Amino acid sequence: MKLISSPASPFVRKVRVLLLETDQAADVEEVVIATTPFQTDTGLKAANPLGKIPALIRDDGPAIYDSRVICRYLDDRAKAGLYPEARLWDVLTLEATADGIIEGTLATVYENRFRDEGMRMQSWMDAQWDKAARALDAVNDRWMSHLNGPVDMAQIAIACALGYADFRVPDRNWRQGRDALAAWYAEFEKRPSMQATIPA
């Protein structure tokens, strides 16, 4: 199998962490590409018509995407139990929340990176971060018992979202007022799978 990826992508990082946690990294070749919303890599478009990473090219079927689909597929392949049936809806909700945090962060990054300076809207960027901040508050206030439980895909996704916020918008200081979440992340990020996938 081949994983179309970019080393800085938090969505790719979710997959890479899962691969390490489930001892499948040797089964997947990473194909690192350079792509932007304006110039999509041709190989990526062939695998995913939406032009988004990651995409997983399988040996026995068509390519699959997005990160949530890929993670479910790889977890099922390894029978790893990162989507436990007893907590499935909580895991899926937290994974969706993590992806929303990433999307809010990514929107602010794209605004700065791809819009001409005179066209950037600070109010729009603030609104995108506000979505992420509300999600972070919800995790800190309502979901810590889950995060402190057995490792599943929810923890991996949340940790990758927090790592991306540190990487791209450190000035937003997501830890402020979220002591429980910050303490949890300080421990979770020590996992070898997280250390091996720090974005660069």
Side-chain angles (χ1 to χ4, degrees):
M1 293 184 289
K2 294 181 179 180
L3 180 69
I4 300 179
S5 69
S6 171
S9 167
F11 295 112
V12 170
R13 189 181 189 192
K14 285 171 51 183
V15 178
R16 294 176 71 215
V17 170
L18 180 147
L19 287 170
L20 290 168
E21 291 281 345
T22 60
D23 295 320
Q24 295 183 87
D27 299 338
V28 178
E29 175 191 350
E30 280 199 61
V31 179
V32 177
I33 63 162
T35 191
T36 75
F38 299 113
Q39 292 182 315
T40 304
D41 178 85
T42 53
L44 175 58
K45 282 191 284 190
N48 178 358
L50 299 173
K52 295 181 177 182
I53 51 175
L56 182 69
I57 300 172
R58 299 178 294 168
D59 300 327
D60 58 352
I64 58 174
Y65 50 87
D66 65 11
S67 64
R68 279 180 271 186
V69 175
I70 295 169
C71 287
R72 285 294 296 270
Y73 171 80
L74 291 170
D75 177 70
D76 183 71
R77 179 179 184 266
K79 307 300 182 206
L82 292 175
Y83 291 91
E85 193 65 33
R87 303 191 311 278
L88 181 61
W89 303 115
D90 291 348
V91 172
L92 293 176
T93 298
L94 269 173
E95 187 178 9
T97 301
D99 283 2
I101 294 166
I102 293 170
E103 288 161 3
T105 305
L106 188 60
T108 65
V109 171
Y110 277 6
E111 183 77 2
N112 273 316
R113 182 174 295 169
F114 296 113
R115 276 196 192 273
D116 293 335
E117 188 172 354
M119 298 177 65
R120 294 175 195 158
M121 290 181 60
Q122 187 62 47
S123 60
W124 190 87
M125 288 189 282
D126 290 342
Q128 302 313 303
W129 178 252
D130 283 348
K131 296 175 188 177
R134 288 195 302 271
L136 289 163
D137 288 340
V139 175
N140 186 77
D141 296 343
R142 299 179 216 156
W143 291 100
M144 292 312 303
S145 62
H146 185 108
L147 292 185
N148 287 314
V151 173
D152 58 32
M153 196 59 213
Q155 285 113 319
I156 292 171
I158 292 291
C160 290
L162 300 177
Y164 190 65
D166 278 344
F167 179 53
R168 290 299 193 200
V169 289
D171 56 306
R172 295 287 184 173
N173 191 14
W174 67 262
R175 291 172 178 78
Q176 186 173 359
R178 303 180 185 99
D179 293 346
L181 185 58
W184 171 82
Y185 180 66
E187 289 303 312
F188 196 88
E189 70 173 338
K190 294 175 184 175
R191 296 180 74 86
S193 61
M194 291 293 293
Q195 289 297 305
T197 57
I198 295 171

